[in-house]
Structures are given as C-alpha cells and as structure tokens.
Amino acid sequence: METFDIIDSPMKQQETPQQETPQKVDTALESADSKTEEQSADDAATQEAKATLEALEELPVVMEKLEQDTENYELHVRLITLLTTLDFPDQLETARQAMHDIYPLSEAMWLAWINDAKKQADTEQGEAYLLSLYDEAEKDYLFISVWKSYTEFILEKFNVAWDKEGEEEESKHVLVETTREALLKAVRATHHHVSQSHEIWNVYGEFEVRILKYFESPETLSHVKQVYLNRLEALHMECEQTFNAYSNLIGAYDNDHYEANMVEANKIYAKTKEAANERGVFEHQLIQSGYALDTFYEYIENEKIAKKKFSLNAVRNLYERAVAIYCTDVGLWNDYVLFLVERARIQVFLEAITLRAVRNCPWSGVLWSHLARVMESGHRSPEQMADIFDRALESKPLLSSLEDLVTLLKAKCDYERRRIDWEDVGEEDVMDLRVAFEEAMVYISEAFGNHGDPYYRIEKYYAHIEGNKLGNLKKARELWDVIIKRHGKQAEAWIQYIEFERECGDEQRCLSLFKQAMEKKLDYPERIMNAWMLFEHENGSLDSMQTALVRINKATKLLSTHWLAGLAEQEALDEKMKEKQMALKVKKSAHRRKQKATKKGTLSATDAATDAATDIDNATETAEEVEEMGAVDAIEMSETSEAVEAPREVRTQGAEASLKRNASQDNEAKDQVFKKPRLVPKAQSSAPNVGMVPHRMRSARGRGRGGTRLVMSRDPKKPVEAPTDKDTQAPTVGPSVIPPSAPKSNNDFRAMLLGKK
C-alpha cells in the first residue's frame, strides 16, 4: 500500500495541473479578448470623436461654398455626408430636400433617406411621408433595391394589421385588396426588368399563395393560377423557377387536374424560355463587360428588332437600366428621347423622360430643346415655355458651352417662329421673334466675345427670317455685313452671303460680292472661283463671263506664285533638317568611338584605322541614303547602325594577332574581293580565332556582314580549331569535311518519326 501510495501520489500531483491548465488558458484568452474588445471599442470611440470634430470644422465651410454655388453637386453630397456624421436630423432633411429639388439622388442616398423615414412611419403622417419618398425615388431611376424596400414595408404593415383584425372576414378582405394593389404597383414598375423582376414578383406570388391558404375556394384558386400563368407569359430569366412554383401549386391545390394544367402552362413556358435564352446572351455580356455602355447599346438595338416576345416596354426598360448607371451621358438620354418620339409618341412618357433628362444633364442644350418641343406639343402656354428657356439659361455649364448654347437659342427662336401665322402676321408675334434673335446674339456675344459663333448660325437664321419671311432686306444685309466683317477670311461666309442674294434675286449684288471676295485673302479661294464660274454659266452675260475669267486668271497666277514660294521655303527647311540630322549622326559616331577607346583600350592601331575607314564609308553611304529617305528615316538608320556596330567591341587576342600578320594582304584583297572581316565574339565561340573564305568563293548560305564566312564545327561537341598560317594565306575552297557519325538504331529512327509527328 505504501508503495502504491508513493507511486500514486506523484501521478495525482501531475494530473491536477494537467486538468487545471486548460481552464487557466481559457480564462487568460477570455481576459485577453475582453481587453482587445475594450481596446477596439476605445479606438472606435476615439475615431468617431475625431470624425465628429472634423465634421464640425468643415460644415460651415461647405455651407458657405454652397451658398455661392447652389448647383454644385459635390458640395450637396458633402453637406449631406457631414450632417449624417453629426446626426443632425432636421438639417439633414433640409439638405436632402434642397439637393433633390435640383438633382436626382443616387440609390444609396435614397435608401438612407427612406430608412430614416421608416423610423417615423408608425404614425399616419409619417407613413404618408414615407410613401411619398418612394414615389419620388421612382421618378428618378429604376432601383430594384428601393422597390424591395417598398414591398417589405407593405408586408410589415399588412402583418401588423392582419393580427389586429381578429376574426372579421370583411375587414380582412379589405386589407387583402389594399395590400394586393400596393404590391401590384411594385410588380408593374419592375415587370419588364428581365434579370431582376423576379425579386419583386416572388414576394407578390408568396402573398397570393398565403391568401389562398386562408381563403381556400375555387375562385381564389382560379385567381392564383391565372397570376402564375400571366407571370409565365412575361419575359424573365427565372421563368423555370416560376414554372416549378406553379407545378407545386397545382400539386397542392388541384392535383386531380395536374396534367391538364401543366400541359397548358408548358405551352406558355416554352415560348418564354426560348425568348429568355436569347436575352440571356446579352445579359451575360453585360455582366462580363461590367455593364459597359457599348454593351447596353448593342442589347438595346437587338431588342428593337427582336421577333420573340418583342415589347416597346422591354426596350424602355433597357434604357432605364442604362440611364440608372450612366445618368450623365447626354447621348444616351438623347437616344432614349428620340426612340420614344419615333416609336411611342405618348405625351405622358415624353414629358416624364425629358424632365428627368434635364435634371440629370442641366448643361445640355440638346435635352433642353427636347423638353421645349415636348412641352410645345403639349400646348403649354407662352409663359410656361418662357419659364423653361429661362431655367435652361440659368445653367452656368450650359452658358460656357458654345454648341449647347446655340442649340438652345435656336430652339427658342424656332418656337417663336412657329407661333407666327404667316398668312396673317401679327406685329406682337413678330416683335417676340425679333427679341428672341436679339437676345440670342447678346448671349453669344457676352459668353464668347465679339467673334461669337464661328459658324454664325443665329445671325444667318435671323437674316433669313428678315429677308425671306418679313421682306426686310435692309436689316438682312446689315446682318450679313456684320458676318462678313467678323468672318471675312472664310470663303464659306462669302458663298452663303452670295447665295442669300441669289434667293432675293439681286444678281448684280452677287457679282459685286464675288469681286469683293476675290480681293480678300481667303482660306479656300478656289471655292469662290468655282462658285463664280458656276454662277456665270447659269446666269452671266458675255461681258461678265470674260470679266470673271480675267479676274480668276490673275488670282490663279498669284496663288501659284505664293504656292511656289511656300514650296521653296518648305524645301529649304527640309534640307536644313537633313543637314542637322547628318551632323547629329557624325557626332554620335565620334562619341561612340571615343567611348570604345575609353572603356576597352584594346583596339590596335590597325583596328582603329580600319574602324575609322569603315565609319567614313558608312557616313558617306548614309549621306546618300538620307537624301532619298528624309530626315525621319535617317534617324532610324542611325539607330540601326548603332545596333550593328555593337559586336565590334569584343575582340580576341588571337584574332588581333592574325589580323596584324596579314594586314597588307587583307588590304589588297579588300579592294578586289574582301570587305572588312567580322570576327565572332567570345560569347559565340570558345576558339581563339576563326577562318575566313574569300567573298567570291563563299556560298549564299554562309554569307556574313563583312564579306566573310564563319567556319564552325558541325559537331557541337568538337571545338573549332584555330586556323594556321596556311589556312589564312590559301583558304580551302572545297566543302568542309564532315566526320562520320555513329550508326542510327531503330530506337533513334522511331524517335525521329515521333518527333516529326
């Protein structure tokens, strides 16, 4: 027993710490975790306090800037961010409303605003305000997430009311109808969204099944079945999921007629599935391209010509998906509006789209012009039309863009012109039109100086109205005289002035204008000459034709003289450039030789003399080629020569000795047969030197740069032997001796065949 106790005692002493150690470790870990969490909480609180202080300092600065520039989008966003950080609900509400009065809000901004409004939706007033926010968000863009938030709110409201109604059937029916209409609003708004409409419809479908369970009756079952069949007929990517849900519905509530119901549903489903597969290709391309605008355009154009399940609303939905991402793309909005004008000229749609377009791109004269024409087609009053143009001209970005400003001002003049009854012209309407033209010229002059529009579009339009519509030739010619004074060097301005006089029937004034134009230094004088000759052919007399020929002949000679002088000047500049390039090349060549001598220091006197002679030859050849190739090609040749001469830097001692022994013989042979030999660098051969074959005796296969043939061993394992004096003085003309190779085995032959395959 004592022995047992002695042996057992240490075991007990060892077991006790082993059982307590994990508990201590867990306690230590929990303590460490607790300290870490406390530290993280402290750090978060510190960061939050720091962010609050920074927001407080920045807030007055942003508000002051926003007062000076109320249309600055970034400042509006920054103000909302700061107020959110500081948790100032009243000021935040005001800032959001102020921004929404000018610009549409993004998806994240709408969701944040809606979530804040949900906190106050427990009262009737708060609920009405929340629903108004959903309506405003719908007018901006098509956001599936916003509609999901809407359906969640409707179902929460339904669940609360359902529990309060108790057992009263009538009140429950009223509640069901109210909720159904609210959910159908979301379903209709997202019905044509091919890829995401199921996220909204599934909520509605589950609601209908829930009502069927409570009010189970043939009428209710028939209604739910029709709901699913209508959904199967709608184009959506998740049509297979809808088909399976309908199958489960029939199996649970009408299993006796399962086959008949599913056959009917399958006919609808098959057509929808085929059309969905076609759209699935473009949906995949959208995802792969990151929803690129070009992919949207391709998808839209395909949808316009689709034969299966085509719908104008489907095209509209694609435009809506695109503008939700590229909301500031003027071209996209313009294409959207023109599509509606062409294919669905519905006043309600056009007004809504054009209003949204100018809210997203208030700097676009094209979109403001679309809005004005749409409102005019809706028979808006002159005061309302004037308000539209005034709002557009308040945009600073629009006033800074010549094209947008001219487009808008022309649209305003168009509107005033269309108001005039030209069969019974009223003085007041004519005065409004003239005021519109005068204001347009003032706007352009103030924004872009006295030169204004280089294409004088407003002035030309004004002159046409005065001369051809109102018969006021004096005012029209005054306008054209102003145009010629500003743009007298443009042949096009003279031609259009002359064309205006032709329309008025004054041929003598046309001849006078041709003569005046020929005296000017025009940008394209040949256009005036051609126009004058055409005029003489069509309307001129014998004397006027001869006068025109004389004047055109003198002008042609003068132009030829100027052209030849300009050509000689250009040739002189080209020659100067060639000389400059040649001097640069010689300088680079000298610099390279100096670098070689400094770095290597191994070139012998003979090598230096040979290199100098070669450089002189190369310079001479380059000079001849520069004359043919031009300055640009000379630069490329100089770069190429640098790459070619680079291997000359590496020389072996054996090659130098061989070259010295045969210098005189090589120089004589060079004049007759040889060119300068090019020796193999050390990196290419381990032999001290290589043999050379005369130029006339070498084969085409062995030609080298310097007129040599490099003698190399055919056996890669056998080094190249150094040439002897005999080899150098009398090179062998015959073919090289090939050492016998080892006999090939069957395995080698099979390996060769496999290699060929």
Side-chain angles (χ1 to χ4, degrees):
M1 291 296 295
E2 292 180 358
T3 304
F4 178 80
D5 291 338
I6 293 173
I7 296 175
D8 191 31
S9 178
M11 292 179 64
K12 291 181 179 181
Q13 292 176 0
Q14 291 177 3
E15 287 176 3
T16 302
Q18 289 178 357
Q19 293 175 357
E20 294 177 354
T21 299
Q23 298 176 356
K24 293 181 179 179
V25 171
D26 293 342
T27 303
L29 290 175
E30 291 176 359
S31 177
D33 292 341
S34 177
K35 291 180 180 179
T36 303
E37 292 177 358
E38 292 177 359
Q39 184 66 31
S40 300
D42 293 340
D43 293 342
T46 303
Q47 292 294 331
E48 184 177 356
K50 183 179 179 181
T52 302
L53 290 175
E54 292 176 353
L56 285 172
E57 294 177 358
E58 187 180 357
L59 181 61
V61 178
V62 173
M63 294 180 69
E64 182 179 357
K65 291 181 179 179
L66 196 56
E67 288 179 359
Q68 299 173 358
D69 187 5
T70 57
E71 295 183 358
N72 192 309
Y73 183 87
E74 288 75 14
L75 288 177
H76 279 286
V77 174
R78 186 58 186 164
L79 178 61
I80 292 174
T81 303
L82 293 175
L83 293 174
T84 303
T85 303
L86 295 172
D87 194 16
F88 292 168
D90 295 337
Q91 294 88 334
L92 179 60
E93 181 71 21
T94 304
R96 284 168 170 167
Q97 192 62 52
M99 181 177 180
H100 185 251
D101 290 341
I102 304 174
Y103 296 108
L105 303 185
S106 65
E107 182 177 9
M109 297 177 73
W110 271 120
L111 288 175
W113 196 355
I114 288 171
N115 289 333
D116 290 343
K118 278 185 176 181
K119 300 174 184 177
Q120 309 296 328
D122 51 351
T123 64
E124 185 176 351
Q125 183 179 0
E127 180 182 335
Y129 179 68
L130 176 60
L131 293 176
S132 69
L133 289 182
Y134 281 120
D135 292 337
E136 292 297 323
E138 178 189 4
K139 295 176 183 178
D140 280 354
Y141 305 108
L142 175 61
F143 292 137
I144 297 297
S145 59
V146 172
W147 283 112
K148 287 180 66 176
S149 173
Y150 171 79
T151 56
E152 290 171 0
F153 171 73
I154 294 299
L155 287 180
E156 289 175 3
K157 179 183 173 183
F158 170 78
N159 293 331
V160 172
W162 183 269
D163 294 337
K164 289 182 179 179
E165 294 297 337
E167 299 296 331
E168 298 179 5
E169 295 293 330
E170 184 177 354
S171 59
K172 287 186 178 295
H173 279 291
V174 173
L175 177 62
V176 168
E177 289 300 325
T178 304
T179 306
R180 178 179 289 139
E181 287 300 320
L183 293 176
L184 282 174
K185 178 182 178 181
V187 170
R188 295 189 191 102
T190 60
H191 178 73
H192 296 282
H193 198 301
V194 177
S195 61
Q196 288 185 286
S197 60
H198 66 279
E199 297 182 18
I200 306 301
W201 190 90
N202 288 347
V203 176
Y204 170 64
E206 292 172 0
F207 168 79
E208 291 290 357
V209 173
R210 178 180 174 184
I211 300 304
L212 175 61
K213 291 179 180 179
Y214 188 84
F215 299 107
E216 187 172 352
S217 65
E219 293 78 11
T220 308
L221 176 60
S222 177
H223 169 74
V224 176
K225 287 168 61 177
Q226 191 60 45
V227 166
Y228 272 87
L229 291 177
N230 292 339
R231 178 58 179 171
L232 280 175
E233 194 171 3
L235 179 59
H236 61 290
M237 300 304 297
E238 301 297 330
C239 55
E240 183 176 353
Q241 177 185 356
T242 307
F243 184 76
N244 294 333
Y246 181 70
S247 174
N248 295 334
L249 174 71
I250 298 301
Y253 294 95
D254 195 11
N255 194 42
D256 295 338
H257 305 90
Y258 180 83
E259 292 184 2
N261 284 304
M262 295 310 297
V263 167
E264 179 187 4
N266 187 62
K267 293 179 181 179
I268 302 173
Y269 164 71
K271 295 179 181 179
T272 305
K273 183 64 175 177
E274 185 178 4
N277 289 337
E278 292 182 0
R279 274 68 169 192
V281 175
F282 291 97
E283 292 290 340
H284 180 71
Q285 290 178 0
L286 278 177
I287 297 173
Q288 292 295 111
S289 64
Y291 295 90
L293 182 57
D294 290 340
T295 310
F296 267 116
Y297 274 127
E298 185 179 355
Y299 194 178
I300 290 169
E301 293 304 319
N302 179 81
E303 192 65 31
K304 289 179 181 179
I305 60 175
K307 296 181 180 179
K308 298 175 182 177
K309 295 287 182 179
F310 169 76
S311 171
L312 290 176
N313 286 324
V315 182
R316 282 191 59 223
N317 185 267
L318 287 176
Y319 275 116
E320 288 293 339
R321 292 171 61 184
V323 297
I325 301 174
Y326 302 98
C327 56
T328 58
D329 191 286
V330 175
L332 179 60
W333 283 107
N334 181 55
D335 197 55
Y336 190 7
V337 173
L338 292 177
F339 165 74
L340 293 177
V341 170
E342 178 188 6
R343 305 287 291 273
R345 196 172 298 185
I346 302 173
Q347 187 66 22
V348 176
F349 287 167
L350 285 170
E351 288 186 7
I353 297 303
T354 49
L355 283 170
R356 290 171 56 205
V358 296
R359 276 172 57 81
N360 283 272
C361 307
W363 60 86
S364 173
V366 174
L367 298 180
W368 278 107
S369 302
H370 279 313
L371 175 62
R373 285 188 288 270
V374 169
M375 293 302 177
E376 182 184 357
S377 65
H379 306 289
R380 293 297 193 274
S381 65
E383 292 76 14
Q384 290 175 314
M385 297 299 300
D387 180 66
I388 291 173
F389 290 114
D390 291 341
R391 284 166 49 201
L393 291 171
E394 290 175 357
S395 173
K396 294 180 180 179
L398 187 146
L399 293 175
S400 63
S401 171
L402 176 63
E403 291 301 318
D404 290 306
L405 181 58
V406 171
T407 301
L408 176 66
L409 294 174
K410 286 177 66 178
K412 184 176 182 180
C413 294
D414 291 343
Y415 166 70
E416 296 294 346
R417 177 187 58 79
R418 287 190 290 265
R419 289 184 61 219
I420 298 176
D421 183 3
W422 293 103
E423 295 180 357
D424 183 16
V425 179
E427 284 296 326
E428 186 176 352
D429 294 337
V430 172
M431 183 59 65
D432 291 338
L433 177 58
R434 284 174 172 162
V435 168
F437 277 118
E438 294 293 340
E439 286 182 349
M441 291 190 295
V442 171
Y443 270 112
I444 294 175
S445 178
E446 290 180 351
F448 301 98
N450 292 329
H451 291 286
D453 179 15
Y455 306 105
Y456 39 90
R457 285 165 284 189
I458 298 295
E459 295 89 340
K460 183 170 62 176
Y461 187 7
Y462 192 7
H464 170 76
I465 294 296
E466 289 288 357
N468 296 356
K469 293 287 187 179
L470 300 176
N472 190 354
L473 291 177
K474 181 181 178 180
K475 178 63 176 179
R477 284 168 180 162
E478 288 177 359
L479 291 168
W480 273 112
D481 289 339
V482 173
I483 293 173
I484 291 299
K485 185 178 179 180
R486 293 179 178 177
H487 310 283
K489 293 184 179 181
Q490 298 180 14
E492 184 63 27
W494 286 96
I495 290 173
Q496 293 194 29
Y497 190 5
I498 293 168
E499 187 63 29
F500 168 76
E501 292 293 348
R502 287 190 68 180
E503 292 177 358
C504 296
D506 195 338
E507 295 183 359
Q508 291 300 320
R509 190 167 181 83
C510 291
L511 290 174
S512 175
L513 291 175
F514 274 123
K515 294 175 183 179
Q516 292 179 44
M518 292 295 293
E519 300 296 329
K520 303 293 182 180
K521 190 176 181 180
L522 303 177
D523 51 356
Y524 296 104
E526 62 275 7
R527 293 198 61 196
I528 288 290
M529 298 178 190
N530 295 334
W532 194 358
M533 289 308 302
L534 180 62
F535 176 81
E536 291 295 338
H537 286 305
E538 294 176 351
N539 305 285
S541 64
L542 177 60
D543 292 339
S544 64
M545 171 66 82
Q546 290 177 341
T547 302
L549 289 172
V550 171
R551 285 180 175 268
I552 290 173
N553 183 52
K554 290 181 179 180
T556 302
K557 288 181 178 180
L558 185 61
L559 287 175
S560 299
T561 303
H562 289 319
W563 182 80
L564 290 174
L567 181 62
E569 184 179 356
Q570 185 62 38
E571 289 179 350
L573 291 175
D574 293 343
E575 188 65 26
K576 202 172 194 180
M577 182 64 70
K578 292 177 184 178
E579 293 176 359
K580 186 176 180 180
Q581 296 298 335
M582 269 302 306
L584 181 62
K585 183 187 181 306
V586 172
K587 184 177 179 180
K588 285 184 177 181
S589 178
H591 181 66
R592 286 195 302 271
R593 289 196 300 272
K594 184 177 179 181
Q595 282 185 332
K596 293 174 187 176
T598 303
K599 291 182 179 180
K600 299 298 180 181
T602 56
L603 291 177
S604 62
T606 305
D607 294 332
T610 305
D611 288 345
T614 304
D615 289 337
I616 293 173
D617 294 340
N618 290 339
T620 304
E621 295 174 0
T622 304
E624 296 174 354
E625 294 174 356
V626 164
E627 295 179 358
E628 299 176 358
M629 298 169 58
V632 177
D633 293 338
I635 297 173
E636 297 178 356
M637 182 180 294
S638 64
E639 295 175 353
T640 306
S641 64
E642 292 179 26
V644 171
E645 293 178 3
R648 220 187 292 172
E649 298 179 2
V650 184
R651 308 276 185 169
T652 60
Q653 295 297 330
E656 291 179 4
S658 175
L659 188 60
K660 289 179 181 180
R661 287 196 301 270
N662 301 286
S664 60
Q665 297 178 6
D666 287 344
N667 290 335
E668 294 175 359
K670 179 182 179 182
D671 295 336
Q672 301 174 0
V673 178
F674 290 94
K675 287 185 179 179
K676 181 181 176 182
R678 303 291 184 188
L679 302 182
V680 179
K682 291 181 180 181
Q684 297 181 4
S685 175
S686 59
N689 51 21
V690 294
M692 295 176 291
V693 178
H695 177 72
R696 69 182 63 178
M697 297 180 183
R698 65 185 180 180
S699 64
R701 182 178 179 182
R703 292 179 185 269
R705 277 184 60 255
T708 63
R709 178 180 179 183
L710 305 181
V711 180
M712 302 180 66
S713 173
R714 295 180 181 271
D715 189 356
K717 297 181 180 180
K718 183 177 180 181
V720 179
E721 296 180 358
T724 61
D725 294 344
K726 182 177 180 181
D727 296 333
T728 305
Q729 296 175 3
T732 303
V733 179
S736 303
V737 179
I738 302 175
S741 58
K744 303 294 184 180
S745 64
N746 292 338
N747 293 334
D748 294 334
F749 183 72
R750 183 167 60 254
M752 180 186 69
L753 292 177
L754 293 175
K756 289 182 178 180
K757 292 180 180 179

